[in-house]
Amino acid sequence: MDAVASGAKRGATDDMRRWLASRKPLGLLTLIAGGNVADRGQIRPILTARGHQVTECDTLSEVVEKLNAEPFQLIVVDWADPEPATEVCKQVRKHFQGQDAVILAVCPAEMVHSSDKLIDAGVNDFVIRPMDSNLLSARLGFLEQWAHNLMERVWAEEALRESEEEFRDLFESSPIGIYQSTPEGRILMANPQMARMLGYRSFEEMAAVDLEEGGFWPSYPRERFKMQLERDGEIRGFEAAWTCRDGRTLFVRESARVVRDGTGNVIYYTGAVEDITDQRVAEEALVESEQRYALAMNGAKDGLWEWDLISDTMHLSPRWKQMLGYEEEEFPDAPGSWFDLVHSEDVDALRAELATHLDGLTPHFEHEHRMQHQDGTWRWMLSRGVAVRGKDGIPRRMAGSQSDTTERRRAEEELLHHALHDRLTGLPNRALLMDRLRRATALANRRQDYTVGVIFLDLDRFKLINESLGHELGEKILVQVAQRLESCMPQGDTVARVGGDKFALLLEGIESMDEARATADAIQVQLTQAIWVGGSDVFVTASMGIACSTQGYDRAADMMRDAEVAMYKAKTKGRACHAIFDPSMRERAVAWMQIESYLRHAVQREELRLYYQPIVSLATGNIVGFEALVRWQHPEMGLISPSKFVHIAEETGLIVPIGMWVLREACLQLQRWRQTFSDYANLTINVNLSGRQFSQQNLVKQIEQVLKETDIDPGALRLEITESVLMEDRNTALKALRQLKELNVKLSIDDFGTGYSSFSHLELFPVDSLKIDRSFINRMGVNGENTEIVDTIVNLGRTLGLTVVAEGVETEGQLNQLRTSSCELAQGYLFSKPMKRQDVEAILLRNPQW
């Protein structure tokens, strides 16, 4: 890729990244294909007002031309005839490879029977002509979010392609040979340098070499290489003589690692090869000539040594001594002086390698070991040599060199560390954790007295912290959390960061599940302490899932999966707690995934329904408003209550588009009722705002847009927010509430009394009403018992000038007690269950009183 093209690609990616960071579905390039002038005159202003850049065309050929010229994200197809409309959709999908644009079809009512053809051709949504502007705007809001998600995926795929291209460039241009091979020596993969070193034009030629007829691996050293590699898992600096394609001898230095499967079987070797032919020729030339050896001894960059085996005396070059911080006269020339400086853990292996060479079992001697520098530090040294033998084959002397490999070892260890550790926290990453978990699981399967536990941990609402404080402070919080997790772990166990705000803990050799529970409890205690960042205290909690090897796991990945499933169970229990995995959780997780999949299409397929529950004035008995409640009419599973899907929508973020659909539909319906029923011209509507909705930065603008689209009196809309959501980030909540009050909408605290707000905070929040949680209403007795909390909330509301609404009223006794307490409004099954639109209208015609 040339520099200009590469720069252009980075620029486009950066532009897309900035667009995505804004999280605003504006500035979309939109193509209107077909349609008459009147339709375009209705569609274009709505698109332009929403920030779209609109292009129009009349014919199929123009559509193809425009698609080739601009990267459109939204295509509006407006043809009265299904055949050209279907052909346009097919051309769009062909151009975008079936998935990278959103298509909205504008159809006359008689064309609805052809909708299957349009769906097969790639249409994502429909609007029936003549068009309802409010409905079109509602559909566009959903499709803009869809287009946003598509662009985000395109960017992610582009980033992946760039990463793969960078890796391929490094692989192809590396000056070191890189390969993968089977343990038998069959080449599975090699880069161009590896092929060139051995005289082949490509990897394919190398892979065709018949090992039985003489491959380039030498037999004896290769057997020793395999034995050492499979014993230690890796090998470094292994030197051997290979046979090139043209018969030349190539001396190489090889480093390699074993890659095994989950059961420990060797899959393949991966290694790197350096051509050291010139260096080896130089070393052998030293042995052949005493005179040349003596000259080289004075001027070589590496330290040189010569050992007289008969007299057991040694000569060390000045450079050899300088490498260890000694002057010529400070260090005695003796084999013992050499061995005395070698690390105690390495000296036996050094002596064994020397003995193997002197016994004639290896063609040359080589060993890498640690030696103590004069300043007390340890340095890695690579010592190599060759024995000179008499006619009887007995070695008379040895000569060789010593290289300081400390920096190379440090660089290799740093690279290996980065490959297996998280750069932010320094903790092991998922790859290293899974490697350790595989070994621990295998050991647990062999030993009945050995138990392994995994704790999967996810920080609660960390996305909100990131959005509120910024990613820089968010990263500082993650670092402190990592340190606290490490402080809770016994020596030898593993804490890993496995992605984002997720961590996993591997507990090896525990006595029982109780020990894992105790660790989880200790973590919760640590996390209750404030984290000081950005000049203020931040509090975090975590949900944890625990899985244990006593359940009988053959695969480490299954154990990790079940711990994560248990973590999600802990979140549904209310967060800041832990859950122990049991098999029923996996069944629920599968059901959760199925519900989530269906739910993603529910809005698009118009499967959501609104039900309405009356809110009654206890002074007059009249209906003063309704609370809008969402239901899901699934074509196969029937009517699904919110308890089955709202928490899934909250966790996945689907609650945001669903919530805006509920708000828009409720406002439209209220406006129709106020215009239709003269006795209810002051009717109000209550709509719930979820925590995920409340954290959206563009929430106020979205609500303002709905108010404009539906032409509803803002004072007729009452937004319900739970006090737990308000108290999660009080400063941010106060700012959002004030902005909403500027729109003149009414605000209500839902489920009041179940959270943890104080009266002082309640007085600060610019709310208009309190809704008493149904649990307090249910406890009230017919003779006035257990009414203290209700009386307190009613009196508090009166003191603060707030309207008080009682939820869950089911009996006449509860109603009488509420009237005695001077509660103003109530709702519940005593008056009516949530009703469909048609049932509400029937009640409004009767104008009932309670």
Side-chain angles (χ1 to χ4, degrees):
M1 183 185 300
D2 61 59
V4 175
S6 179
K9 177 181 286 187
R10 286 194 296 271
T13 303
D14 291 343
D15 288 342
M16 185 175 291
R17 188 179 291 112
R18 283 192 293 272
W19 185 88
L20 290 173
S22 72
R23 295 292 177 180
K24 298 177 180 178
L26 301 176
L28 294 174
L29 291 176
T30 301
L31 179 69
I32 303 179
N36 55 48
V37 176
D39 284 343
R40 294 184 191 174
Q42 185 180 6
I43 297 172
R44 185 184 186 106
I46 294 175
L47 291 170
T48 304
R50 298 179 69 87
H52 291 241
Q53 299 178 39
V54 179
T55 301
E56 301 179 22
C57 57
D58 296 305
T59 66
L60 178 58
S61 60
E62 281 187 75
V63 171
V64 175
E65 179 182 350
K66 299 296 184 183
L67 289 176
N68 290 327
E70 295 284 354
F72 293 95
Q73 289 88 44
L74 176 63
I75 315 295
V76 180
V77 178
D78 184 7
W79 246 286
D81 186 349
E83 294 302 322
T86 302
E87 186 58 30
V88 168
C89 295
K90 288 180 179 179
Q91 287 295 327
V92 170
R93 284 297 173 225
K94 180 180 179 182
H95 181 82
F96 286 102
Q97 298 180 349
Q99 57 187 356
D100 293 332
V102 179
I103 304 176
L104 172 66
V106 179
C107 307
E110 62 269 23
M111 192 172 160
V112 172
H113 68 277
S114 302
S115 60
D116 289 343
K117 293 183 179 179
L118 290 173
I119 291 173
D120 292 340
V123 167
N124 301 104
D125 205 349
F126 297 87
V127 174
I128 304 302
R129 188 191 304 116
M131 290 173 285
D132 183 322
S133 297
N134 293 329
L135 179 59
L136 177 59
S137 294
R139 296 291 175 80
L140 286 172
F142 175 75
L143 294 175
E144 285 164 354
Q145 183 65 38
W146 194 336
H148 174 282
N149 294 338
L150 286 176
M151 291 184 70
E152 187 170 13
R153 191 203 65 210
V154 169
W155 170 79
E157 291 174 349
E158 180 64 21
L160 177 60
R161 282 194 294 271
E162 288 181 12
S163 176
E164 291 174 343
E165 287 173 3
E166 289 174 2
F167 172 79
R168 175 55 57 185
D169 288 342
L170 289 173
F171 180 77
E172 295 289 339
S173 61
S174 173
I176 296 176
I178 302 172
Y179 72 88
Q180 286 182 355
S181 75
T182 66
E184 295 76 24
R186 175 68 64 191
I187 292 293
L188 302 175
M189 180 190 73
N191 69 343
Q193 176 64 7
M194 181 75 171
R196 285 192 294 269
M197 287 168 57
L198 291 162
Y200 295 91
R201 288 174 296 182
S202 65
F203 153 67
E204 288 74 12
E205 283 190 348
M206 289 182 62
V209 172
D210 188 343
L211 298 178
E212 297 298 324
E213 295 181 5
F216 48 83
W217 310 113
S219 59
Y220 169 71
R222 203 63 190 172
E223 290 302 318
R224 186 165 60 88
F225 176 94
K226 288 174 56 178
M227 181 175 63
Q228 183 177 345
L229 180 58
E230 295 188 10
R231 181 192 66 204
D232 301 335
E234 65 177 0
I235 192 169
R236 302 187 186 193
F238 186 89
E239 292 188 7
W242 290 5
T243 303
C244 296
R245 186 182 191 184
D246 59 4
R248 288 182 299 109
T249 297
L250 179 73
F251 291 96
V252 298
R253 181 181 297 123
E254 184 178 5
S255 297
R257 296 184 65 183
V258 171
V259 178
R260 303 177 185 271
D261 61 19
T263 61
N265 296 321
V266 176
I267 305 175
Y268 59 84
Y269 302 158
T270 181
V273 178
E274 179 184 3
D275 183 351
I276 61 168
T277 303
D278 294 340
Q279 179 182 334
R280 178 53 60 82
V281 170
E283 289 176 0
E284 293 180 353
L286 288 175
V287 178
E288 295 172 357
S289 172
E290 290 283 349
Q291 183 178 7
R292 287 199 300 268
Y293 177 73
L295 292 173
M297 205 168 184
N298 292 323
K301 179 180 178 181
D302 290 345
L304 304 178
W305 53 270
E306 183 180 13
W307 186 2
D308 188 326
L309 299 171
I310 303 302
S311 63
D312 198 25
T313 58
M314 179 173 282
H315 177 65
L316 303 171
S317 73
R319 176 59 183 153
W320 193 99
K321 299 175 182 179
Q322 290 169 6
M323 292 167 67
L324 294 165
Y326 294 95
E327 296 296 333
E328 174 71 24
E329 64 279 358
E330 290 181 314
F331 195 83
D333 289 353
S337 302
W338 176 15
F339 296 136
D340 288 345
L341 292 182
V342 178
H343 196 286
S344 59
E345 295 178 2
D346 301 337
V347 67
D348 290 341
L350 170 63
R351 291 183 181 275
E353 197 67 32
L354 280 167
T356 299
H357 176 61
L358 293 175
D359 289 343
L361 299 177
T362 57
H364 65 276
F365 155 76
E366 179 178 317
H367 192 263
E368 193 170 13
H369 47 269
R370 288 163 289 180
M371 296 185 72
Q372 191 170 33
H373 194 276
Q374 191 181 33
D375 63 11
T377 61
W378 292 96
R379 309 284 296 180
W380 280 97
M381 298 292 172
L382 176 63
S383 186
R384 292 171 295 207
V386 177
V388 179
R389 304 176 185 275
K391 293 182 179 180
D392 55 4
I394 298 175
R396 298 288 194 268
R397 62 185 179 88
M398 280 189 70
S401 65
Q402 178 170 279
S403 305
D404 188 334
T405 60
T406 304
E407 294 305 318
R408 176 179 60 79
R409 291 281 299 223
R410 184 177 293 121
E412 290 175 352
E413 289 170 0
E414 185 176 353
L415 286 172
L416 183 60
H417 179 85
H418 287 325
L420 297 175
H421 290 78
D422 174 52
R423 289 183 180 272
L424 176 63
T425 63
L427 295 177
N429 60 16
R430 180 183 286 272
L432 181 54
L433 173 73
M434 293 306 297
D435 181 67
R436 293 178 180 177
L437 180 57
R438 279 189 287 269
R439 285 184 284 143
T441 304
L443 182 58
N445 287 334
R446 293 196 301 269
R447 288 175 45 185
Q448 293 184 351
D449 62 338
Y450 188 83
T451 302
V452 177
V454 171
I455 301 177
F456 196 99
L457 180 150
D458 180 79
L459 297 182
D460 298 325
R461 300 188 184 277
F462 189 75
K463 183 177 183 293
L464 178 62
I465 294 176
N466 254 348
E467 292 175 349
S468 302
L469 302 181
H471 289 281
E472 183 177 353
L473 292 182
E475 288 183 347
K476 291 181 179 179
I477 293 172
L478 289 175
V479 170
Q480 292 200 39
V481 169
Q483 293 169 352
R484 294 187 183 187
L485 293 179
E486 286 188 296
S487 70
C488 298
M489 294 293 285
Q491 185 70 26
D493 287 338
T494 301
V495 181
R497 183 185 179 207
V498 295
D501 59 338
K502 292 178 173 58
F503 298 84
L505 296 80
L506 171 60
L507 308 174
E508 300 190 52
I510 60 177
E511 294 183 359
S512 66
M513 181 66 77
D514 291 338
E515 191 171 338
R517 288 195 188 96
T519 301
D521 291 338
I523 291 170
Q524 292 290 12
V525 171
Q526 279 287 330
L527 293 181
T528 58
Q529 303 174 30
I531 296 176
W532 178 260
V533 291
S536 61
D537 286 335
V538 176
F539 293 89
V540 297
T541 60
S543 299
M544 288 176 277
I546 304 175
C548 193
S549 61
T550 52
Q551 300 231 0
Y553 291 99
D554 294 326
R555 297 175 65 248
D558 292 342
M559 191 173 179
M560 178 67 75
R561 176 204 63 203
D562 288 349
E564 186 172 6
V565 168
M567 180 273 292
Y568 284 112
K569 176 62 176 178
K571 282 192 178 293
T572 64
K573 290 167 59 179
R575 299 183 173 89
C577 61
H578 66 262
I580 308 297
F581 176 79
D582 67 67
S584 64
M585 291 181 183
R586 192 180 301 134
E587 297 173 4
R588 286 193 294 270
V590 172
W592 174 304
M593 291 176 62
Q594 187 179 36
I595 292 289
E596 178 187 346
S597 176
Y598 290 153
L599 188 58
R600 289 188 180 275
H601 300 289
V603 175
Q604 173 194 354
R605 295 172 179 170
E606 300 182 352
E607 295 174 1
L608 297 181
R609 303 285 185 270
L610 278 189
Y611 278 56
Y612 303 89
Q613 187 172 39
I615 298 174
V616 177
S617 168
L618 298 187
T620 66
N622 294 327
I623 295 175
V624 297
F626 290 91
E627 180 177 357
L629 301 167
V630 67
R631 301 290 187 267
W632 180 8
Q633 186 67 50
H634 191 274
E636 297 175 2
M637 295 185 287
L639 191 65
I640 303 175
S641 71
S643 63
K644 299 291 187 181
F645 68 88
V646 167
H647 63 289
I648 300 177
E650 181 79 21
E651 287 292 336
T652 60
L654 290 171
I655 196 67
V656 174
I658 290 176
M660 291 310 299
W661 178 86
V662 169
L663 178 64
R664 187 174 286 106
E665 289 293 315
C667 290
L668 285 171
Q669 187 59 64
L670 177 67
Q671 186 70 340
R672 295 190 190 104
W673 286 338
R674 293 180 71 155
Q675 293 172 352
T676 303
F677 300 97
S678 57
D679 291 338
Y680 293 94
N682 295 320
L683 202 64
T684 62
I685 194 76
N686 287 40
V687 177
N688 291 282
L689 282 183
S690 72
R692 183 67 73 94
Q693 283 180 277
F694 195 67
S695 66
Q696 295 293 304
Q697 293 182 352
N698 61 345
L699 172 67
V700 177
K701 289 185 178 180
Q702 289 182 331
I703 292 175
E704 185 177 16
Q705 182 66 27
V706 170
L707 293 173
K708 290 180 180 178
E709 291 175 1
T710 59
D711 196 29
I712 187 176
D713 174 13
L717 174 61
R718 284 161 168 73
L719 298 175
E720 297 187 8
I721 309 158
T722 63
E723 60 179 317
S724 59
V725 169
L726 294 178
M727 295 302 296
E728 189 167 281
D729 186 346
R730 293 185 292 272
N731 293 333
T732 302
L734 182 58
K735 180 181 178 181
L737 290 177
R738 287 172 176 168
Q739 291 175 339
L740 290 171
K741 286 299 292 181
E742 290 177 1
L743 300 179
N744 294 323
V745 300
K746 303 296 183 181
L747 302 173
S748 177
I749 297 182
D750 196 14
D751 300 337
F752 187 77
T754 61
Y756 47 86
S757 63
S758 65
F759 291 165
S760 62
H761 286 119
L762 180 61
E763 194 171 11
L764 288 175
F765 290 142
V767 298
D768 302 282
S769 61
L770 306 175
K771 296 194 76 172
I772 306 174
D773 186 73
R774 67 181 64 248
S775 61
F776 301 124
I777 306 299
N778 291 339
R779 289 201 290 267
M780 292 196 310
V782 295
N783 298 318
E785 60 269 26
N786 299 327
T787 63
E788 295 84 358
I789 293 179
V790 174
D791 290 340
T792 299
I793 296 175
V794 171
N795 291 331
L796 173 64
R798 185 181 302 111
T799 301
L800 297 178
L802 305 177
T803 301
V804 178
V805 185
E807 285 190 292
V809 179
E810 297 182 356
T811 67
E812 290 287 348
Q814 292 169 352
L815 178 61
N816 293 332
Q817 290 297 331
L818 289 170
R819 282 176 168 152
T820 301
S821 300
S822 299
C823 183
E824 298 166 81
L825 304 174
Q827 67 183 97
Y829 280 17
L830 176 63
F831 309 112
S832 173
K833 293 182 179 180
M835 298 175 287
K836 296 180 181 179
R837 172 182 57 81
Q838 298 88 335
D839 297 332
V840 170
E841 293 171 354
I843 285 182
L844 294 179
L845 285 171
R846 296 201 312 269
N847 197 7
Q849 286 186 321
W850 282 276

